[in-house]
Amino acid sequence: MINTTDIIETINMIDNENLDVRTITMGISLLNCADSNIDASCTKVYDKITKSAERLVEVGEKIEQTYGIPIINKRVSVTPISMLTAVSGGDPVKYALTLERAACELGVNFIGGYSALVQKGFSAGDRELIESIPEALARTEHVCSSVNIGSTKAGINMDAVGLMGRAVKRAAELTSDNNCIGAAKLVVFCNAPEDNPFMAGAFHGVGEPDTVINVGVSGPGVVRAAVSKCPDGDLTEIADIIKKTAFKITRMGQLVGTAASAELGVPFGIVDLSLAPTPAVGDSVAHILEAMGLDMCGTHGTTAALALLNDAVKKGGVMASSHVGGLSGAFIPVSEDAGMIDAARCGTLTLEKLEAMTAVCSVGLDMIIIPGDTTPETISAIIADEAAIGMVNSKTTAVRVIPAIGRAAGEELNFGGLLGCGPIMKVHEGNGSAKFVTRGGRIPAPMQSLKN
């Protein structure tokens, strides 16, 4: 039975607390688009994407109008392109340009999957794709790229870590006239999920259906408002409030995913119940932590508060949908979160504190702007540290850092839109990690990998 109070509460969440569906993402398998001729393969890729997702934007807009639920992004993810370059050979950038053309034809916000999975080593096409990433991102607007360099089962591929440090730096350099946006569309994973609807890390895993709809919901403003209404409750009460709120948010995502699946005639995959912030006031994960009693995000106690938040979000969400997946938890992208921007500006939130927080949150070091003279070796060391946290803790971790070419710590970079803005955060001076990261080889998988 429909409860009028619940309806009014949901309307208030949408109108006043920034509740939205952050994305509906159609995953599309391109395995049947492989061809020994790269031009023929690109034609197949374009035709399959544009045919499979031709109604994605239209259906998203129809659901918005029918239910009054904002759907901020309509996106596409595809099979890791390195799997196609393994067959076709040739210049991988041709695939990136094909993806861009398809995204423009469809009218989607982003298309992800210019990706490679190299956690245990390189196969045919992997190195070529990784080395092409900076050019591919510089020549496209909607294409996003990700590379998985480690896992709990495989360990960490340090040769790939070295390549990715150079790729991140070069991607920033090639787009230095556009706020180094290339690096903002590139993420390096450990334990990458194959059903993630969020960019820049979305790709369509080989175990997924031919096409599938995944939904990413977001409601940090709703959670903050709920926590704020309990100023004197203990942390058990706070956890309970967050669980109940996450349940309501996830039910909305389930509704949208089910409706989109029916309209498009493709399977419904998962709801990713991540709290994904925006630069808008009142839509901040940091402000949730501060509502729990912290003076500012980054102070002592932040990691514990984030652990409580992340766990409660998952517990509430899994009761609301039988198919929860993706990343699911709390994101901490600095430039996209108004509270974290403020904390970084005043120095309370540092790179080292963020690294500690990633041990208990959904992803990792996300949308962090670093000085433009940071060396590729230092970037590789940052990636290796974050991958180690993911590997040992059997969780997804990621690095999306943006070297601000020509700028120093303390200055700011402004991307606009959902990517926001933020201060350039200080990294350790010097290049003390160079010898370690250039040794190459593979960091062995931890004992946790032997679970069979």
Side-chain angles (χ1 to χ4, degrees):
M1 182 175 176
I2 296 175
N3 187 307
T4 305
T5 302
D6 287 343
I7 295 173
I8 294 172
E9 183 182 36
T10 303
I11 291 171
N12 180 62
M13 288 176 179
I14 292 169
D15 288 346
N16 301 316
E17 296 170 3
N18 299 291
L19 177 61
D20 59 56
V21 168
R22 186 55 47 85
T23 179
I24 54 172
T25 301
M26 176 178 281
I28 302 172
S29 172
L30 300 182
L31 293 177
N32 61 347
C33 298
D35 196 290
S36 58
N37 182 299
I38 191 170
D39 295 320
S41 180
C42 285
T43 299
K44 293 178 183 179
V45 166
Y46 178 82
D47 289 346
K48 182 162 189 184
I49 293 173
T50 53
K51 181 179 180 180
S52 299
E54 62 182 343
R55 296 183 58 238
L56 178 63
V57 173
E58 170 197 333
V59 167
E61 291 173 347
K62 179 181 177 181
I63 292 171
E64 285 186 280
Q65 293 169 0
T66 301
Y67 296 103
I69 298 170
I71 301 175
I72 306 303
N73 284 296
K74 294 84 178 174
R75 299 165 171 171
V76 168
S77 64
V78 299
T79 305
I81 292 297
S82 66
M83 295 183 179
L84 302 186
T85 61
V87 177
S88 67
D91 182 5
V93 176
K94 286 188 175 183
Y95 285 111
L97 298 176
T98 300
L99 296 179
E100 177 70 15
R101 190 159 61 96
C104 292
E105 172 65 23
L106 295 170
V108 296
N109 301 94
F110 289 108
I111 185 165
Y114 198 76
S115 306
L117 310 177
V118 295
Q119 57 268 25
K120 208 167 185 178
F122 302 99
S123 59
D126 288 337
R127 280 186 179 270
E128 291 80 2
L129 183 126
I130 290 172
E131 290 170 352
S132 75
I133 287 172
E135 181 185 353
L137 296 180
R139 295 179 62 183
T140 59
E141 181 181 353
H142 301 90
V143 173
C144 292
S145 179
S146 61
V147 177
N148 192 68
I149 51 81
S151 73
T152 299
K153 285 287 188 182
I156 302 172
N157 181 349
M158 289 300 291
D159 294 309
V161 169
L163 285 176
M164 291 313 300
R166 294 192 288 275
V168 169
K169 184 65 178 284
R170 186 61 179 155
E173 290 172 341
L174 291 181
T175 54
S176 60
D177 60 345
N178 188 21
N179 288 317
C180 307
I181 193 68
K185 298 188 294 173
L186 172 58
V187 60
V188 188
F189 275 118
C190 178
N191 291 321
E194 298 190 356
D195 55 4
N196 167 28
F198 285 99
M199 299 296 171
F203 65 89
H204 188 69
V206 294
E208 295 288 302
D210 192 57
T211 55
V212 67
I213 283 289
N214 296 319
V215 174
V217 297
S218 179
V222 177
V223 176
R224 180 203 55 79
V227 171
S228 297
K229 293 171 184 174
C230 184
D232 301 316
D234 66 23
L235 293 178
T236 302
E237 292 177 77
I238 294 297
D240 195 48
I241 288 168
I242 295 170
K243 284 189 290 184
K244 291 176 180 177
T245 307
F247 178 90
K248 296 172 185 176
I249 294 169
T250 307
R251 289 301 291 172
M252 187 185 74
Q254 175 82 12
L255 170 67
V256 169
T258 303
S261 171
E263 285 279 350
L264 293 166
V266 301
F268 171 48
I270 57 93
V271 178
D272 186 319
L273 50 94
S274 296
L275 297 180
T278 72
V281 175
D283 199 26
S284 162
V285 169
H287 289 161
I288 300 174
L289 306 180
E290 291 164 10
M292 291 184 194
L294 301 176
D295 284 341
M296 180 165 280
C297 180
T299 191
H300 300 298
T302 298
T303 305
L306 183 58
L308 183 155
L309 172 64
N310 206 55
D311 178 67
V313 166
K314 292 176 187 289
K315 286 175 177 173
V318 296
M319 293 298 293
S321 173
S322 297
H323 299 289
V324 171
L327 297 163
S328 287
F331 288 180
I332 52 171
V334 175
S335 77
E336 299 176 15
D337 186 302
M340 292 193 183
I341 293 169
D342 290 340
R345 280 174 177 156
C346 75
T348 303
L349 189 64
T350 64
L351 192 58
E352 291 76 19
K353 185 60 177 179
L354 282 162
E355 184 178 293
M357 292 164 65
T358 63
V360 299
C361 77
S362 285
V363 195
L365 297 172
D366 194 17
M367 288 304 293
I368 294 171
I369 309 165
I370 59 177
D373 61 358
T374 305
T375 65
E377 292 79 11
T378 297
I379 297 171
S380 292
I382 292 170
I383 293 169
D385 281 345
E386 197 59 31
I389 290 173
M391 176 184 71
V392 171
N393 290 286
S394 301
K395 70 182 295 291
T396 300
T397 52
V399 172
R400 184 164 50 148
V401 294
I402 302 95
I405 305 302
R407 305 191 192 189
E411 298 183 57
E412 299 219 357
L413 202 61
N414 191 337
F415 303 104
L418 285 177
L419 295 180
C421 65
I424 299 171
M425 301 183 73
K426 183 180 178 181
V427 301
H428 283 300
E429 301 291 342
N431 192 24
S433 314
K435 184 173 181 179
F436 173 74
V437 298
T438 55
R439 284 180 181 270
R442 186 151 52 96
I443 295 179
M447 284 298 294
Q448 289 96 316
S449 66
L450 301 176
K451 291 183 177 180
N452 293 332

